[in-house]
Amino acid sequence: MTMAVPSGVACIKQGAEARVFDLPTFLSLPQGCIAKERFKKTYRHPDLDRQLTNKRVVQEARSLYKCKKAGMDTPTLYFVDMNTATIFMEKISGITVKQRLLDYQATQYSGVDFASLSKYIGESLAKMHSLDVIHGDLTTSNLMIRETIESVVIIDFGLSYISNLAEDKAVDLYVLERAFASTHPNTEELFESILSHYLNAYKNSKAVMNKLEDVRLRGRKRSMLG
């Protein structure tokens, strides 16, 4: 069965690897869905491009399925079409953590419940890493707050992979830490609280924290050297 994005549907986001579409209807779902389509890279040999694209599609779908099956709040996987390199998944009704923080930045985040937000994020990351799923692109744009329930949804597993190495999990956390520091000033307390919940929820977190210090040190050295 082949299922391509219908013609005329507008692209709502395009990155270096894929285009994202908001489908108003999908099969029997009146709310529609999100379709993520990986496009061809003309600078690569067609056979290599197809191989790499298929690998990324499969890995993203597996990560989504693995996290959802374990009880994490991630987009529900509806359908994967390998012929068009497209993943059809749940449309999340809500707002990104990035936008929520930007909306309240001028008031020093007075309208943001840091305690709940840090708990949801920290425990979600702990669950993900306990499954040995490395997100690969943890930013506040890839964390969403649902409108209907109190939860943080981790989205966009396009760079995800499986690893049990504490180093890889530490890099995941470091990327998120840098995202907070560069985009959301004065959120150091929020990120420390996220790490605290992560520590409490993940039994192997101490090894990750030790590696995080090493990753931070390397990051500071790179910054000093330019």
Side-chain angles (χ1 to χ4, degrees):
M1 179 179 179
T2 296
M3 189 175 293
V5 175
S7 60
V9 176
C11 174
I12 60 173
K13 180 183 177 182
Q14 178 165 335
E17 301 287 334
R19 289 182 287 261
V20 178
F21 300 87
D22 184 346
L23 276 58
T25 58
F26 179 73
L27 300 180
S28 60
L29 299 171
Q31 73 273 22
C33 77
I34 292 295
K36 182 176 181 181
E37 176 189 73
R38 288 184 176 267
F39 45 79
K40 295 179 181 179
K41 298 295 185 66
T42 56
Y43 60 83
R44 291 195 297 226
H45 187 281
D47 291 341
L48 176 62
D49 182 65
R50 191 179 306 109
Q51 180 183 0
L52 293 175
T53 298
N54 287 349
K55 182 179 179 180
R56 293 310 314 165
V57 169
V58 169
Q59 185 55 61
E60 181 170 4
R62 282 177 175 169
S63 294
L64 278 169
Y65 178 76
K66 189 172 186 178
C67 289
K68 176 63 73 174
K69 186 179 179 181
M72 280 182 62
D73 196 350
T74 54
T76 301
L77 185 66
Y78 294 145
F79 187 77
V80 180
D81 189 340
M82 296 304 298
N83 293 318
T84 59
T86 305
I87 297 176
F88 298 83
M89 68 191 90
E90 177 188 4
K91 183 190 304 181
I92 305 298
S93 179
I95 187 173
T96 64
V97 169
K98 178 180 180 178
Q99 192 58 54
R100 174 59 60 83
L101 293 176
L102 290 176
D103 287 345
Y104 289 94
Q105 187 169 297
T107 61
Q108 290 297 303
Y109 313 107
S110 59
V112 182
D113 183 354
F114 271 17
S116 296
L117 188 60
S118 63
K119 180 176 186 293
Y120 299 143
I121 296 174
E123 291 182 352
S124 293
L125 298 182
K127 184 70 172 180
M128 183 178 72
H129 283 172
S130 72
L131 299 169
D132 290 336
V133 174
I134 310 300
H135 186 276
D137 189 23
L138 277 177
T139 67
T140 51
S141 295
N142 288 333
L143 300 172
M144 290 192 69
I145 304 169
R146 282 191 186 270
E147 287 182 350
T148 53
I149 58 174
E150 294 184 336
S151 177
V152 167
V153 189
I154 302 179
I155 65 171
D156 196 355
F157 284 77
L159 297 178
S160 66
Y161 59 98
I162 303 299
S163 171
N164 62 3
L165 297 179
E167 170 95 6
D168 292 337
K169 297 171 186 181
V171 171
D172 238 6
L173 297 180
Y174 181 71
V175 169
L176 182 59
E177 182 176 38
R178 297 314 304 158
F180 271 103
S182 62
T183 312
H184 311 292
N186 304 315
T187 55
E188 293 84 0
E189 179 183 341
L190 172 59
F191 190 75
E192 286 304 313
S193 184
I194 290 171
L195 291 184
S196 177
H197 287 290
Y198 178 88
L199 272 165
N200 291 332
Y202 179 32
K203 66 178 182 179
N204 295 329
S205 59
K206 288 186 178 180
V208 178
M209 290 299 107
N210 290 336
K211 287 294 182 180
L212 179 58
E213 288 302 320
D214 294 339
V215 174
R216 283 168 169 166
L217 181 60
R218 294 202 300 269
R220 286 194 292 269
K221 287 181 176 178
R222 282 196 296 270
S223 297
M224 290 173 63
L225 294 172

